[in-house]
Amino acid sequence: MNTIVMKFGGTSVANIDRIKNVADIIKSKKKNSIKIVVVVSAMAGVTNDLCEKSKAISKNFSNEEYDVLLSSGEQVTSALLSGCLIDKGVKARSMLAWQIPIVTEGQHKNSRILSVNSKSIFKYLDEDYVVIVPGFQGISEQMKISTIGRGGSDASAVAVAKALNADRCEIFTDVEGIFTTNPQICNEAKKIEKISYDEILEMSSLGAKVMQSSSVQKAMMNNVEIFVKSTFSPEKSGTQILSDDKISYNKVITGVAYTNDDAKITLIGVKDKPGVASAIFKPLNDQNIIIDMIVQNISADSKKTDVTFTVKRDDMPKAKNIINELKKNIDYDDLLTDAKVSKVSIVGAGMITHPGVAYKMFDALSSKNINILVISTSEIRISVLVNDKNVELAVKTLHSVFELD
Ligand code: ADP
Ligand code: ASP
Ligand code: MG
């Protein structure tokens, strides 16, 4: 093995002892004379704390300054870890995103990585340094500090791994790998040895925050080999993410994921005529509001219809205002909203070849008296929207019914 990228998340570097532990993991790996780049998150809680501070200063805190502020968390960890390695006799140096540079495009708070200059990193790797890179941050083509969205250090690690053509990218976190569902809410959750890019992409975009979804997308597109492991038991094998042709499926369902930040909006009695759906969704799209599930019920007389859709809970007030404004152009009887809904999903490439999965899911939920509000599907997943209070029971029930326990 030649070059590896090791990424450590917030809980892994939450305090001085944990940073020392991370330095020991790196030092023992370095003995094998491989080139190591480390990508770090801010210490647990720091990013949230900085975010709160910005809100305390202003309700309309500048997006540009938000990025300067929030990116500082990762800078602190980089320097502490690098200093710790030096103290332990390991040649190390931190390189901030602007020094490399890691160039981003797009809006502040939610930029995308365009390129990583591998030459500047290799310069130090070739001199046998361990290079520490702060995750989450970048620099725009206008030379402004940027950040790439919450949980973005995973994407930074994958982008660096891709740029260096690294042999592997190891994501160290606070659980032993990717589990069949969040082990924090389901004691029966089991660690998955191997999972496909498609499946973890679905699971992460459906709420499993163990990997940030855009990082999985980038890894899949560029064939970056990923291992998810625990910082607290690094000797254990963790989970390998790879393409589905390298996995044999003996279960229909691979995992259960859930969100806890959805909201449902229903327009009752909308006049049923061509162009109505686009008239509703265009202004929401113009304001960058992401629409997730959509259902339209056709009325018995075909004259009126109800349109239900979901948005992120934070976007609900904005979406409601836009729909209220629409009243001028679109005829509807009533507007109903519910901000206490969540999406529970089953994911598995095995369902492509197994009929009856949807029925089994709905039957299991009905046996527990859980009402399904909206349904959506893709080739390898089925999602249902349920009331917040039913999420945990729904996850545990599906986990057991699909024999993941
Ligand atoms: P980090 O700070 O290391 O990036 P995160 O908090 O972002 O870590 O992600 C790890 C967390 O993801 C775990 O503590 C766990 O609660 C949660 N999680 C949700 N779904 C899953 C899953 N299917 N497998 C493993 N962890 C999961
Ligand atoms: N520190 C950032 C966050 O909390 C990025 C990350 O940890 O991945 O969102
Ligand atoms: Mg994370």
Side-chain angles (χ1 to χ4, degrees), residues 7 9-10 40-43 47-48 70 74 135-136 149-154:
K7 179 257 172 179
V40 287
S41 287
M43 295 161 85
T47 311
N48 284 347
L70 263 68
E74 271 70 11
F136 185 51
R150 297 301 307 268
S153 297
D154 293 336

Side-chain angles (χ1 to χ4, degrees), residues 246-287:
K246 297 191 182 121
I247 301 176
S248 59
Y249 292 97
N250 51 10
K251 289 217 165 95
V252 182
I253 297 305
T254 304
V256 183
Y258 63 93
T259 58
N260 46 19
D261 58 351
D262 288 301
K264 178 168 73 84
I265 299 180
T266 305
L267 275 87
I268 305 277
V270 185
K271 213 168 198 177
D272 198 5
K273 58 175 188 186
V276 164
S278 90
I280 296 170
F281 293 116
K282 184 177 182 303
L284 294 165
N285 176 59
D286 290 346
Q287 293 296 315

Side-chain angles (χ1 to χ4, degrees), residues 127-316:
E127 289 174 26
D128 210 29
Y129 280 91
V130 171
V131 176
I132 317 290
V133 176
F136 185 51
Q137 56 172 254
I139 182 156
S140 71
E141 281 170 325
Q142 294 73 40
M143 304 294 280
K144 294 199 169 136
I145 300 292
S146 55
T147 61
I148 58 169
R150 297 301 307 268
S153 297
D154 293 336
S156 304
V158 171
V160 170
K162 184 208 150 201
L164 299 178
N165 203 10
D167 297 271
R168 60 201 274 172
C169 176
E170 297 183 343
I171 305 285
F172 285 85
T173 183
D174 56 0
V175 285
E176 279 173 24
I178 297 167
F179 281 65
T180 46
T181 193
N182 187 354
Q184 271 173 20
I185 72 153
C186 180
N187 290 335
E188 301 298 329
K190 294 278 173 296
K191 198 196 80 182
I192 301 168
E193 294 296 323
K194 290 178 178 181
I195 190 167
S196 69
Y197 291 110
D198 294 293
E199 288 173 313
I200 185 61
L201 182 57
E202 288 278 11
M203 280 179 67
S204 59
S205 54
L206 295 164
K209 78 167 189 158
V210 59
M211 283 292 294
Q212 194 221 26
S213 58
S214 67
S215 71
V216 181
Q217 208 168 15
K218 198 165 188 114
M220 180 161 86
M221 275 164 21
N222 298 289
N223 262 319
V224 176
E225 202 164 319
I226 296 186
F227 291 80
V228 180
K229 302 174 69 143
S230 164
T231 310
F232 308 113
S233 32
E235 69 293 348
K236 294 198 175 152
S237 61
T239 300
Q240 187 178 4
I241 306 177
L242 64 185
S243 58
D244 59 358
D245 53 348
K246 297 191 182 121
I247 301 176
S248 59
Y249 292 97
N250 51 10
K251 289 217 165 95
V252 182
I253 297 305
T254 304
V256 183
Y258 63 93
T259 58
N260 46 19
D261 58 351
D262 288 301
K264 178 168 73 84
I265 299 180
T266 305
L267 275 87
I268 305 277
V270 185
K271 213 168 198 177
D272 198 5
K273 58 175 188 186
V276 164
S278 90
I280 296 170
F281 293 116
K282 184 177 182 303
L284 294 165
N285 176 59
D286 290 346
Q287 293 296 315
N288 290 322
I289 293 177
I290 295 169
I291 312 291
D292 186 13
M293 303 166 112
I294 305 176
V295 264
Q296 183 175 337
N297 314 328
I298 299 162
S299 59
D301 60 6
S302 301
K303 285 189 181 141
K304 285 194 169 176
T305 175
D306 299 340
V307 179
T308 298
F309 57 93
T310 61
V311 296
K312 287 287 153 223
R313 211 166 280 176
D314 284 350
D315 284 336
M316 166 82 130

Side-chain angles (χ1 to χ4, degrees), residues 77-148:
T77 324
S78 300
L80 288 174
L81 180 59
S82 188
C84 188
L85 282 165
I86 293 165
D87 188 62
K88 287 178 187 288
V90 179
K91 249 175 123 176
R93 67 156 291 169
S94 60
M95 291 183 84
L96 301 182
W98 65 267
Q99 293 174 297
I100 296 173
I102 297 176
V103 180
T104 62
E105 62 173 3
Q107 293 175 345
H108 279 283
K109 289 175 116 171
N110 211 4
S111 300
R112 280 175 307 281
I113 296 178
L114 261 184
S115 64
V116 177
N117 178 14
S118 57
K119 267 196 201 149
S120 64
I121 300 178
F122 270 123
K123 177 176 181 302
Y124 291 99
L125 290 179
D126 291 343
E127 289 174 26
D128 210 29
Y129 280 91
V130 171
V131 176
I132 317 290
V133 176
F136 185 51
Q137 56 172 254
I139 182 156
S140 71
E141 281 170 325
Q142 294 73 40
M143 304 294 280
K144 294 199 169 136
I145 300 292
S146 55
T147 61
I148 58 169

Side-chain angles (χ1 to χ4, degrees), residues 7-15 18 41-44:
K7 179 257 172 179
F8 294 88
T11 20
S12 306
V13 292
N15 55 44
R18 289 191 181 175
S41 287
M43 295 161 85

